[in-house]
Amino acid sequence: MNFNFFDIFWVFLALSSLQPVWQRRQVEYRRVQTLRAFEQQRNSRVILLIHRQESLSLLGIPISRYITIEDSEQVLRAIRFTPPDVPIDLILHTPGGLVLATEQIARALIRHPAKVSVFVPHYAMSGGTMLALASDEIVMDANAVLGPVDPQLGNFPAASILKVVEDKPIGEVDDQTLIMADISRKAIAQVQRFVRTLLKDNIPQQKIAPENVESIIEALTTGRVTHDYPITVEEATELGLPVTVGLPLAIYSLMELYPQSQGGKPSVQYIPMPYGDRSPMLPAPKGRPLEEPH
Protein backbone atom coordinates (compact mmCIF):
# COMPACT_ATOMS: atom_id res chain seq x y z
CA MET A 1 0.00 0.00 0.00
CA ASN A 2 1.41 3.33 -1.05
CA PHE A 3 1.01 6.51 1.00
CA ASN A 4 1.55 9.90 -0.48
CA PHE A 5 2.57 13.03 1.39
CA PHE A 6 -1.01 14.17 1.98
CA ASP A 7 -2.03 10.80 3.48
CA ILE A 8 0.85 11.01 5.94
CA PHE A 9 -0.04 14.62 6.74
CA TRP A 10 -3.66 13.77 7.56
CA VAL A 11 -2.62 10.80 9.70
CA PHE A 12 -0.20 13.06 11.57
CA LEU A 13 -2.91 15.69 12.01
CA ALA A 14 -5.38 13.12 13.36
CA LEU A 15 -2.85 11.73 15.84
CA SER A 16 -1.89 15.23 16.95
CA SER A 17 -5.52 16.13 17.64
CA LEU A 18 -6.10 12.93 19.63
CA GLN A 19 -2.97 13.24 21.77
CA PRO A 20 -4.32 16.00 24.10
CA VAL A 21 -7.53 14.00 24.61
CA TRP A 22 -5.52 10.91 25.47
CA GLN A 23 -3.30 12.83 27.84
CA ARG A 24 -6.33 14.33 29.65
CA ARG A 25 -7.84 10.86 30.01
CA GLN A 26 -4.60 9.54 31.46
CA VAL A 27 -4.36 12.41 33.97
CA GLU A 28 -8.01 11.96 34.97
CA TYR A 29 -7.43 8.23 35.48
CA ARG A 30 -4.39 8.95 37.68
CA ARG A 31 -6.40 11.49 39.69
CA VAL A 32 -9.16 8.97 40.39
CA GLN A 33 -6.68 6.25 41.31
CA THR A 34 -4.76 8.55 43.67
CA LEU A 35 -7.99 9.78 45.28
CA ARG A 36 -9.26 6.25 45.75
CA ALA A 37 -6.01 5.13 47.33
CA PHE A 38 -6.01 8.10 49.72
CA GLU A 39 -9.63 7.44 50.71
CA GLN A 40 -8.84 3.80 51.41
CA GLN A 41 -5.81 4.79 53.46
CA ARG A 42 -7.80 7.28 55.53
CA ASN A 43 -11.20 5.52 55.47
CA SER A 44 -12.73 8.87 54.57
CA ARG A 45 -14.46 10.84 51.87
CA VAL A 46 -11.86 13.02 50.12
CA ILE A 47 -13.05 16.25 48.48
CA LEU A 48 -10.70 18.46 46.46
CA LEU A 49 -11.27 22.18 46.06
CA ILE A 50 -8.30 23.27 43.97
CA HIS A 51 -8.17 26.56 42.09
CA ARG A 52 -4.81 26.04 40.44
CA GLN A 53 -5.06 28.35 37.42
CA GLU A 54 -4.22 31.62 39.15
CA SER A 55 -2.94 33.28 35.97
CA LEU A 56 -5.29 32.25 33.19
CA SER A 57 -6.29 34.92 30.73
CA LEU A 58 -8.79 35.30 27.93
CA LEU A 59 -7.89 37.76 25.15
CA GLY A 60 -5.39 39.32 27.51
CA ILE A 61 -7.96 39.82 30.30
CA PRO A 62 -6.95 38.05 33.55
CA ILE A 63 -9.35 35.38 34.80
CA SER A 64 -9.38 34.57 38.50
CA ARG A 65 -10.36 31.13 39.75
CA TYR A 66 -12.24 31.20 43.03
CA ILE A 67 -15.00 29.52 45.05
CA THR A 68 -18.20 29.78 43.02
CA ILE A 69 -21.81 28.67 43.35
CA GLU A 70 -20.99 25.75 41.05
CA ASP A 71 -18.25 24.71 43.49
CA SER A 72 -20.65 24.85 46.42
CA GLU A 73 -23.20 22.74 44.55
CA GLN A 74 -20.60 20.05 43.87
CA VAL A 75 -19.16 20.06 47.40
CA LEU A 76 -22.61 19.98 49.00
CA ARG A 77 -23.50 17.01 46.81
CA ALA A 78 -20.34 15.18 47.89
CA ILE A 79 -21.09 15.88 51.56
CA ARG A 80 -24.68 14.75 51.12
CA PHE A 81 -23.50 11.46 49.61
CA THR A 82 -21.14 10.86 52.56
CA PRO A 83 -22.55 8.60 55.33
CA PRO A 84 -22.80 10.33 58.74
CA ASP A 85 -20.12 8.10 60.29
CA VAL A 86 -17.54 8.62 57.50
CA PRO A 87 -14.94 11.38 58.07
CA ILE A 88 -14.45 14.07 55.44
CA ASP A 89 -11.00 15.17 54.24
CA LEU A 90 -11.14 18.46 52.33
CA ILE A 91 -8.01 19.40 50.36
CA LEU A 92 -7.91 23.16 49.84
CA HIS A 93 -5.90 25.29 47.44
CA THR A 94 -7.83 28.49 46.84
CA PRO A 95 -7.59 32.29 47.01
CA GLY A 96 -11.15 32.46 48.37
CA GLY A 97 -14.38 33.32 46.62
CA LEU A 98 -18.05 34.21 46.93
CA VAL A 99 -19.33 34.64 50.48
CA LEU A 100 -22.60 32.82 49.72
CA ALA A 101 -20.86 29.77 48.26
CA THR A 102 -18.28 29.70 51.06
CA GLU A 103 -20.87 29.90 53.82
CA GLN A 104 -22.97 27.14 52.25
CA ILE A 105 -19.98 24.79 52.20
CA ALA A 106 -18.88 25.77 55.72
CA ARG A 107 -22.34 25.17 57.20
CA ALA A 108 -22.52 21.77 55.53
CA LEU A 109 -19.12 20.86 56.98
CA ILE A 110 -20.05 21.79 60.57
CA ARG A 111 -23.29 19.81 60.24
CA HIS A 112 -21.45 16.65 59.23
CA PRO A 113 -21.43 14.38 62.33
CA ALA A 114 -18.07 12.68 61.67
CA LYS A 115 -14.66 14.33 61.85
CA VAL A 116 -13.82 16.94 59.23
CA SER A 117 -10.16 17.60 58.38
CA VAL A 118 -8.92 20.34 56.06
CA PHE A 119 -5.54 19.93 54.33
CA VAL A 120 -3.69 23.01 53.08
CA PRO A 121 -0.66 22.20 50.90
CA HIS A 122 0.06 25.78 49.81
CA TYR A 123 -2.57 28.38 50.67
CA ALA A 124 -6.23 28.71 51.66
CA MET A 125 -6.94 32.43 51.73
CA SER A 126 -10.09 34.39 52.63
CA GLY A 127 -13.02 32.02 52.00
CA GLY A 128 -10.57 29.11 52.09
CA THR A 129 -9.64 30.08 55.64
CA MET A 130 -13.32 30.23 56.52
CA LEU A 131 -13.70 26.63 55.33
CA ALA A 132 -10.68 25.67 57.42
CA LEU A 133 -12.37 27.21 60.48
CA ALA A 134 -15.36 24.92 59.85
CA SER A 135 -13.19 21.83 60.31
CA ASP A 136 -12.18 19.87 63.40
CA GLU A 137 -8.53 19.82 62.32
CA ILE A 138 -6.42 21.98 60.02
CA VAL A 139 -3.46 20.09 58.57
CA MET A 140 -0.91 22.33 56.85
CA ASP A 141 2.40 22.09 55.10
CA ALA A 142 5.06 23.81 57.21
CA ASN A 143 5.21 26.63 54.63
CA ALA A 144 1.49 26.87 53.85
CA VAL A 145 -0.56 29.92 54.83
CA LEU A 146 -4.09 30.98 55.67
CA GLY A 147 -5.47 34.51 55.31
CA PRO A 148 -7.81 37.09 56.88
CA VAL A 149 -11.55 36.80 56.22
CA ASP A 150 -12.40 40.51 56.49
CA PRO A 151 -15.08 41.50 53.92
CA GLN A 152 -14.19 43.36 50.74
CA LEU A 153 -16.56 45.73 48.96
CA GLY A 154 -15.51 45.85 45.35
CA ASN A 155 -11.81 46.74 45.34
CA PHE A 156 -11.80 48.17 48.86
CA PRO A 157 -11.62 46.55 52.30
CA ALA A 158 -14.71 47.28 54.38
CA ALA A 159 -12.50 48.30 57.30
CA SER A 160 -10.73 50.94 55.17
CA ILE A 161 -14.03 52.46 54.05
CA LEU A 162 -15.04 52.83 57.70
CA LYS A 163 -11.66 54.41 58.44
CA VAL A 164 -12.35 57.18 55.91
CA VAL A 165 -15.62 58.08 57.64
CA GLU A 166 -13.92 58.03 61.04
CA ASP A 167 -11.04 60.28 59.95
CA LYS A 168 -12.95 62.92 57.98
CA PRO A 169 -15.63 65.33 59.18
CA ILE A 170 -19.05 64.00 58.22
CA GLY A 171 -19.72 67.11 56.13
CA GLU A 172 -16.74 66.34 53.89
CA VAL A 173 -17.79 62.76 53.14
CA ASP A 174 -19.91 62.22 50.03
CA ASP A 175 -23.17 60.27 50.16
CA GLN A 176 -21.81 57.29 48.23
CA THR A 177 -18.98 56.81 50.72
CA LEU A 178 -21.45 57.06 53.60
CA ILE A 179 -23.62 54.40 51.99
CA MET A 180 -20.54 52.18 51.48
CA ALA A 181 -19.57 52.73 55.11
CA ASP A 182 -23.02 51.58 56.25
CA ILE A 183 -22.75 48.46 54.09
CA SER A 184 -19.19 47.87 55.37
CA ARG A 185 -20.34 48.01 58.99
CA LYS A 186 -23.06 45.45 58.28
CA ALA A 187 -20.69 43.22 56.29
CA ILE A 188 -18.12 43.11 59.10
CA ALA A 189 -20.83 42.31 61.65
CA GLN A 190 -22.17 39.50 59.44
CA VAL A 191 -18.76 37.94 58.92
CA GLN A 192 -17.94 38.16 62.62
CA ARG A 193 -21.23 36.52 63.53
CA PHE A 194 -20.60 33.67 61.09
CA VAL A 195 -16.98 33.14 62.16
CA ARG A 196 -18.16 33.04 65.78
CA THR A 197 -20.63 30.32 64.79
CA LEU A 198 -17.84 28.30 63.17
CA LEU A 199 -15.47 28.63 66.12
CA LYS A 200 -18.03 27.89 68.81
CA ASP A 201 -19.07 24.77 66.92
CA ASN A 202 -15.60 23.40 67.69
CA ILE A 203 -15.67 24.21 71.40
CA PRO A 204 -17.59 21.11 72.55
CA GLN A 205 -14.85 19.02 70.92
CA GLN A 206 -12.24 21.15 72.72
CA LYS A 207 -10.51 22.05 69.46
CA ILE A 208 -10.53 25.79 70.14
CA ALA A 209 -10.37 27.17 73.67
CA PRO A 210 -13.41 29.39 74.44
CA GLU A 211 -11.17 32.21 75.66
CA ASN A 212 -9.47 32.36 72.22
CA VAL A 213 -12.64 32.83 70.18
CA GLU A 214 -12.92 36.61 70.38
CA SER A 215 -9.20 37.20 69.79
CA ILE A 216 -9.34 34.99 66.67
CA ILE A 217 -12.35 36.93 65.39
CA GLU A 218 -10.54 40.21 66.06
CA ALA A 219 -7.43 39.04 64.20
CA LEU A 220 -9.23 37.65 61.16
CA THR A 221 -12.19 39.94 60.51
CA THR A 222 -11.38 43.53 61.46
CA GLY A 223 -8.98 44.43 58.65
CA ARG A 224 -6.04 45.25 60.87
CA VAL A 225 -3.84 43.70 58.16
CA THR A 226 -4.25 43.57 54.38
CA HIS A 227 -6.59 40.99 52.89
CA ASP A 228 -3.71 39.06 51.30
CA TYR A 229 -1.69 38.95 54.54
CA PRO A 230 -0.23 35.42 54.93
CA ILE A 231 -1.04 33.78 58.25
CA THR A 232 1.72 31.25 58.79
CA VAL A 233 1.52 27.99 60.69
CA GLU A 234 3.25 29.61 63.65
CA GLU A 235 0.87 32.56 63.76
CA ALA A 236 -2.20 30.36 63.33
CA THR A 237 -1.02 28.22 66.25
CA GLU A 238 -0.44 31.30 68.39
CA LEU A 239 -3.99 32.44 67.64
CA GLY A 240 -5.26 29.13 69.00
CA LEU A 241 -6.36 27.46 65.78
CA PRO A 242 -6.24 23.63 65.74
CA VAL A 243 -3.29 23.37 63.34
CA THR A 244 -1.26 20.23 62.72
CA VAL A 245 1.91 20.41 60.61
CA GLY A 246 2.77 17.65 58.15
CA LEU A 247 0.79 16.54 55.09
CA PRO A 248 0.48 12.96 53.80
CA LEU A 249 2.65 12.49 50.71
CA ALA A 250 -0.42 11.53 48.67
CA ILE A 251 -1.64 15.14 48.82
CA TYR A 252 1.51 16.39 47.11
CA SER A 253 0.96 13.75 44.44
CA LEU A 254 -2.59 15.01 43.93
CA MET A 255 -1.38 18.59 43.57
CA GLU A 256 1.02 17.43 40.84
CA LEU A 257 -2.02 16.13 38.94
CA TYR A 258 -3.59 19.61 38.96
CA PRO A 259 -0.73 21.61 37.41
CA GLN A 260 -0.70 25.31 36.72
CA SER A 261 -1.65 25.94 33.10
CA GLN A 262 1.49 26.86 31.16
CA GLY A 263 1.20 29.29 28.29
CA GLY A 264 4.89 28.99 27.43
CA LYS A 265 8.10 27.97 29.10
CA PRO A 266 7.86 26.96 32.78
CA SER A 267 8.78 29.76 35.17
CA VAL A 268 10.64 27.39 37.50
CA GLN A 269 13.23 24.85 36.44
CA TYR A 270 15.85 22.91 38.38
CA ILE A 271 18.04 19.83 38.22
CA PRO A 272 16.64 17.00 40.35
CA MET A 273 18.58 15.61 43.28
CA PRO A 274 20.55 13.44 43.71
CA TYR A 275 22.78 14.92 40.99
CA GLY A 276 25.15 12.12 40.08
CA ASP A 277 27.26 11.00 43.04
CA ARG A 278 28.07 14.50 44.29
CA SER A 279 24.82 15.40 46.10
CA PRO A 280 23.12 13.96 49.18
CA MET A 281 19.90 12.00 48.82
CA LEU A 282 16.87 14.28 48.86
CA PRO A 283 13.11 13.68 48.30
CA ALA A 284 11.91 13.48 44.71
CA PRO A 285 11.33 16.93 43.12
CA LYS A 286 7.81 18.32 42.80
CA GLY A 287 8.34 20.67 39.87
CA ARG A 288 9.34 20.35 36.24
CA PRO A 289 13.03 19.39 36.25
CA LEU A 290 15.68 19.98 33.66
CA GLU A 291 17.16 16.93 32.01
CA GLU A 292 20.32 15.70 33.67
CA PRO A 293 23.32 16.17 31.36
CA HIS A 294 25.09 13.04 30.18
Side-chain angles (χ1 to χ4, degrees):
M1 181 179 296
N2 294 324
F3 290 95
N4 58 33
F5 171 79
F6 290 103
D7 291 331
I8 297 175
F9 172 77
W10 286 113
V11 170
F12 173 77
L13 190 62
L15 292 176
S16 298
S17 62
L18 290 175
Q19 184 180 13
V21 177
W22 171 252
Q23 289 176 338
R24 285 196 297 270
R25 292 287 180 88
Q26 287 292 99
V27 170
E28 183 61 31
Y29 175 77
R30 291 173 60 195
R31 288 174 178 172
V32 171
Q33 291 299 102
T34 307
L35 270 175
R36 183 176 291 120
F38 190 47
E39 285 188 334
Q40 292 174 349
Q41 175 188 345
R42 299 264 307 173
N43 292 317
S44 66
R45 160 82 72 184
V46 178
I47 304 173
L48 276 74
L49 188 57
I50 297 178
H51 298 130
R52 196 74 161 123
Q53 288 79 22
E54 294 95 341
S55 60
L56 285 178
S57 64
L58 177 63
L59 301 178
I61 302 173
I63 299 176
S64 298
R65 294 290 303 275
Y66 54 86
I67 302 171
T68 65
I69 294 298
E70 289 75 16
D71 290 332
S72 66
E73 290 176 354
Q74 293 296 327
V75 175
L76 293 179
R77 186 176 294 113
I79 295 173
R80 189 165 59 248
F81 288 160
T82 305
D85 59 339
V86 174
I88 289 177
D89 291 334
L90 178 62
I91 301 173
L92 278 179
H93 177 80
T94 179
L98 298 178
V99 174
L100 172 60
T102 301
E103 288 198 9
Q104 285 184 305
I105 297 172
R107 291 186 186 278
L109 291 175
I110 64 176
R111 289 189 179 113
H112 187 68
K115 182 179 180 180
V116 175
S117 299
V118 163
F119 295 87
V120 184
H122 188 55
Y123 69 81
M125 307 296 284
S126 190
T129 297
M130 198 172 286
L131 297 182
L133 297 179
S135 69
D136 301 306
E137 179 186 30
I138 307 171
V139 187
M140 299 174 65
D141 180 87
N143 298 304
V145 296
L146 304 175
V149 299
D150 57 306
Q152 310 292 296
L153 273 65
N155 296 324
F156 303 107
S160 297
I161 296 174
L162 290 177
K163 189 72 166 55
V164 171
V165 177
E166 293 171 2
D167 290 351
K168 295 183 69 173
I170 191 69
E172 297 180 10
V173 181
D174 62 88
D175 290 347
Q176 183 175 354
T177 303
L178 289 174
I179 292 171
M180 294 292 288
D182 181 59
I183 297 172
S184 297
R185 194 175 293 107
K186 293 173 182 176
I188 292 174
Q190 289 170 196
V191 168
Q192 290 181 337
R193 183 166 59 249
F194 184 63
V195 171
R196 188 175 287 108
T197 299
L198 297 179
L199 296 179
K200 288 189 173 182
D201 176 73
N202 283 316
I203 290 175
Q205 302 169 25
Q206 297 182 343
K207 297 296 182 182
I208 296 178
E211 61 271 18
N212 290 336
V213 170
E214 294 306 318
S215 61
I216 294 173
I217 293 172
E218 172 72 18
L220 297 181
T221 68
T222 57
R224 68 186 191 188
V225 293
T226 59
H227 193 61
D228 60 352
Y229 174 80
I231 299 175
T232 62
V233 167
E234 293 80 8
E235 187 170 353
T237 302
E238 290 176 4
L239 286 173
L241 296 177
V243 172
T244 302
V245 179
L247 294 179
L249 294 178
I251 291 180
Y252 297 111
S253 299
L254 278 169
M255 291 297 291
E256 287 294 309
L257 297 175
Y258 291 84
Q260 169 73 24
S261 179
Q262 295 289 350
K265 295 181 179 179
S267 57
V268 177
Q269 292 184 312
Y270 59 93
I271 298 175
M273 296 292 186
Y275 186 64
D277 297 328
R278 293 172 290 174
S279 301
M281 294 294 292
L282 295 174
K286 299 194 288 294
R288 181 175 175 178
L290 293 168
E291 292 185 359
E292 182 173 340
H294 299 288

